[in-house]
Amino acid sequence: MKKYLFITLISITIFSTVTISCSDDFVDRPIEYSIDSENYFNSKSDYDNALIAAYDLLQTTYLNALLGEIASDNTLAGGESQSDTPGFQQIDDMIHTPVNSNLKNLWDWMFAGVQRANYILEFKDKTDFEGKNQVIGEARFLRAYYHFELVKWFGGIPLKGDARFSSGDEKIIPRSSVSEVYASIEADLIFASENLSATAAQKGRATKGAALALLGKAYLYQNKYPQAVATFESLIGTSSYSLVSDYNTIFENAGENGLESVFEVQYTDVEGAGFGCLQCSEGNVAVGFSGPRNYSGDLFTSGFSFNVPTQKVVNAFEAGDRREAVAILDIEAWATATGATFGKGYEHTGFFNRKYIPRKRSANAQGDLNLTNPNNYRAIRYADVLLMAAEAYNRGGIDDTKARVYLNQVRRRAFGDLNHDISSSGAALTDFILAERRVELVGEGHRFFDLVRTGKAAQEITGFTANKNELFPIPIEEIQFANGNWTQNPGY
């Protein structure tokens, strides 16, 4: 936090060195300034440029998605050896402690996003211009997004309202409660949903639909089922999104920012990166980390063999489910069929996360090709929205008929027929919905948190300790900086 949270954005280098990766003018134009942060925000373009910086930290959420799988029962850490990226291995085995560099990165990067959003909001009243509520709505959406990630991983966090954190705040600002953090998230997303455009002016920017989806998800995580239902229905009722007929196309380049995409994190492979600054990568680092080692063959390229799916998740797919071949790459079968060759890494299961492993790229790709993959992260998909709506209707005891309608929409796409519709009610229907979430969203980073919020983590995740591992530890450095102001999460 010393490095990221309690910095003051006093130099224009913050803006001149960070861009969100899209091909649109909003994110690609060069930025040059010679004024300090306190005298900034004198025009609409100043707010737009600050917004670019706030979006930029979304690219670091590759780590959140990767660890959301590794922490669950969907995948093993993998890698080259047992000592390859110890933080991943510890989280996989549920033996992580407050001394974990990867959890420290996640904390730092999400708070850096909060800080950049707060910079805009601190000066939201300085200059008026046409369309200002759109900019403020996007800033509040982004703050809510980063806060939601932080509260999922760490529980209660410090809040400072519409102001940047300063050095020393860690000793006087307490950790807010989980309910207080969610109240802030809800307020931000309600404002965003009321002020954002239904269509993005440029790809990658937040929309009304994205705000509603995240708001509904925040309600669902708190078991506020009536509010979740109402919010999801507002989104579904816009008819702005739909399930694409071919599940496979979602995860190829042609499927980026498509009809099923409610919100995507944008990536590119034309700006290189290295291990010295993973948060600087404009490419999706998780993709290279999840690829097969020493691969040679068609379609795919090499990676570091982390995040390898287990036989357990492969067995979760029903016979005839067309999603299995899209989500899971059986490397042995693929090699036999295509003549590809590959190396075996640590904890090799024979499976890879096909949704997010590196594909062959253009000649324009720069830097370490394992760190600059262009695959966008589908942060919120319409299928996810339908399944969350189904869950809220069912678990809230509101309307199982409506829950089945949304569940079966997803299943009909998966099987290509009406023969696999679910007709159950009550607790049995709950189990079907949660099982459907697993196979629909496998490899996308949601499984661990689904298990935690539904109370099933201890029975499904090896090594999981109830009343401890629901949250991850606050990094030891943050506890030390706070000098007794913050208590550590239980069990750590």
Side-chain angles (χ1 to χ4, degrees), residues 207-413:
T207 62
K208 178 182 181 70
L212 286 171
L214 188 55
L215 177 60
K217 188 172 185 177
Y219 286 139
L220 184 65
Y221 269 57
Q222 300 172 82
N223 298 332
K224 294 182 176 180
Y225 300 121
Q227 296 96 318
V229 161
T231 304
F232 290 132
E233 283 296 348
S234 293
L235 172 58
I236 294 167
T238 67
S239 301
S240 299
Y241 309 95
S242 62
L243 298 179
V244 300
S245 58
D246 185 351
Y247 185 77
N248 183 57
T249 62
I250 300 170
F251 303 100
E252 302 299 335
N253 287 342
E256 290 180 349
N257 303 299
L259 288 174
E260 191 162 334
S261 175
V262 181
F263 189 67
E264 287 191 20
V265 178
Q266 310 293 304
Y267 289 102
T268 183
D269 64 358
V270 297
E271 187 172 338
F275 281 99
C277 186
L278 288 176
Q279 71 271 32
C280 301
S281 179
E282 298 297 321
N284 191 336
V285 175
V287 173
F289 268 58
S290 299
R293 303 185 73 83
N294 303 317
Y295 178 87
S296 178
D298 296 337
L299 188 59
F300 308 112
T301 58
S302 288
F304 300 123
S305 70
F306 286 97
N307 193 32
V308 289
T310 63
Q311 185 68 55
K312 179 183 176 184
V313 73
V314 175
N315 293 344
F317 288 91
E318 301 170 53
D321 190 335
R322 299 183 296 191
R323 293 171 296 192
E324 180 179 350
V326 176
I328 306 294
L329 174 65
D330 182 333
I331 193 67
E332 303 283 355
W334 176 261
T336 298
T338 66
T341 60
F342 63 94
K344 294 182 179 180
Y346 176 61
E347 297 182 311
H348 179 71
T349 63
F351 304 112
F352 290 91
N353 176 15
R354 191 184 186 279
K355 291 177 180 176
Y356 290 110
I357 59 174
R359 271 68 167 171
K360 292 186 182 297
R361 282 152 288 167
S362 71
N364 296 322
Q366 302 293 315
D368 187 331
L369 298 186
N370 287 311
L371 304 179
T372 55
N373 286 274
N375 311 56
N376 285 358
Y377 173 57
R378 283 67 167 167
I380 308 175
R381 293 198 287 114
Y382 188 58
D384 187 8
V385 170
L386 291 175
L387 292 175
M388 288 191 290
E391 181 184 340
Y393 271 117
N394 166 251
R395 294 186 67 204
I398 299 168
D399 189 339
D400 276 356
T401 299
K402 201 65 178 282
R404 287 191 294 269
V405 168
Y406 291 145
L407 169 63
N408 288 329
Q409 281 186 40
V410 176
R411 288 181 63 81
R412 288 172 185 178
R413 195 258 301 270

Side-chain angles (χ1 to χ4, degrees), residues 424-479:
S424 301
S425 299
L429 179 56
T430 303
D431 290 341
F432 276 116
I433 293 169
L434 298 180
E436 196 68 23
R437 285 189 60 78
R438 184 182 197 185
V439 292
E440 173 68 29
L441 302 170
V442 63
E444 300 178 47
H446 306 296
R447 174 67 173 174
F448 176 81
F449 301 102
D450 279 352
L451 289 174
V452 166
R453 66 184 180 79
T454 58
K456 297 180 180 296
Q459 69 189 54
E460 299 294 343
I461 300 174
T462 301
F464 187 98
T465 300
N467 302 315
K468 173 186 177 181
N469 292 138
E470 290 85 358
L471 295 175
F472 291 83
I474 305 297
I476 187 64
E477 298 91 336
E478 313 308 322
I479 297 296

Side-chain angles (χ1 to χ4, degrees), residues 32-329:
E32 298 178 358
Y33 297 100
S34 58
I35 59 177
D36 65 39
S37 66
E38 304 309 308
N39 296 304
Y40 197 64
F41 297 112
N42 301 306
S43 66
K44 181 181 185 300
S45 63
D46 288 347
Y47 285 87
D48 282 342
N49 292 328
L51 195 56
I52 293 169
Y55 271 103
D56 192 68
L57 268 296
L58 288 174
Q59 293 171 335
T60 69
T61 58
Y62 79 83
L63 181 62
N64 309 33
L66 188 64
L67 290 180
E69 289 295 298
I70 290 173
S72 78
D73 57 341
N74 276 353
T75 69
L76 303 176
E80 182 180 22
S81 67
Q82 189 174 11
S83 60
D84 193 356
T85 314
F88 286 11
Q89 309 295 339
Q90 293 163 10
I91 290 168
D92 183 21
D93 296 333
M94 288 286 122
I95 58 172
H96 46 274
T97 71
V99 182
N100 185 298
S101 62
N102 302 112
L103 291 174
K104 179 67 165 64
N105 286 339
L106 198 155
W107 172 279
D108 285 344
W109 297 344
M110 294 305 95
F111 263 116
V114 171
Q115 185 81 333
R116 293 184 185 187
N118 277 352
Y119 181 40
I120 299 169
L121 297 171
E122 183 175 334
F123 291 94
K124 64 182 181 298
D125 298 322
K126 183 178 181 184
T127 303
D128 288 327
F129 54 87
E130 185 176 353
K132 184 176 179 179
N133 276 353
Q134 171 74 26
V135 172
I136 301 305
E138 289 183 62
R140 293 187 69 170
F141 171 86
L142 291 169
R143 180 170 67 181
Y145 193 100
Y146 297 127
H147 275 157
F148 185 67
E149 289 300 311
L150 285 163
V151 77
K152 281 194 318 183
W153 287 86
F154 300 106
I157 56 171
L159 300 174
K160 200 181 177 180
D162 292 346
R164 290 165 292 171
F165 288 94
S166 301
S167 181
D169 282 348
E170 70 277 17
K171 296 180 177 62
I172 58 176
I173 296 178
R175 289 179 65 185
S176 295
S177 67
V178 168
S179 61
E180 289 170 334
V181 177
Y182 272 114
S184 174
I185 291 169
E186 291 171 12
D188 279 344
L189 293 173
I190 289 170
F191 180 93
S193 67
E194 292 173 346
N195 288 277
L196 293 182
S197 172
T199 57
Q202 289 88 18
K203 292 177 181 177
R205 295 179 71 169
T207 62
K208 178 182 181 70
L212 286 171
L214 188 55
L215 177 60
K217 188 172 185 177
Y219 286 139
L220 184 65
Y221 269 57
Q222 300 172 82
N223 298 332
K224 294 182 176 180
Y225 300 121
Q227 296 96 318
V229 161
T231 304
F232 290 132
E233 283 296 348
S234 293
L235 172 58
I236 294 167
T238 67
S239 301
S240 299
Y241 309 95
S242 62
L243 298 179
V244 300
S245 58
D246 185 351
Y247 185 77
N248 183 57
T249 62
I250 300 170
F251 303 100
E252 302 299 335
N253 287 342
E256 290 180 349
N257 303 299
L259 288 174
E260 191 162 334
S261 175
V262 181
F263 189 67
E264 287 191 20
V265 178
Q266 310 293 304
Y267 289 102
T268 183
D269 64 358
V270 297
E271 187 172 338
F275 281 99
C277 186
L278 288 176
Q279 71 271 32
C280 301
S281 179
E282 298 297 321
N284 191 336
V285 175
V287 173
F289 268 58
S290 299
R293 303 185 73 83
N294 303 317
Y295 178 87
S296 178
D298 296 337
L299 188 59
F300 308 112
T301 58
S302 288
F304 300 123
S305 70
F306 286 97
N307 193 32
V308 289
T310 63
Q311 185 68 55
K312 179 183 176 184
V313 73
V314 175
N315 293 344
F317 288 91
E318 301 170 53
D321 190 335
R322 299 183 296 191
R323 293 171 296 192
E324 180 179 350
V326 176
I328 306 294
L329 174 65

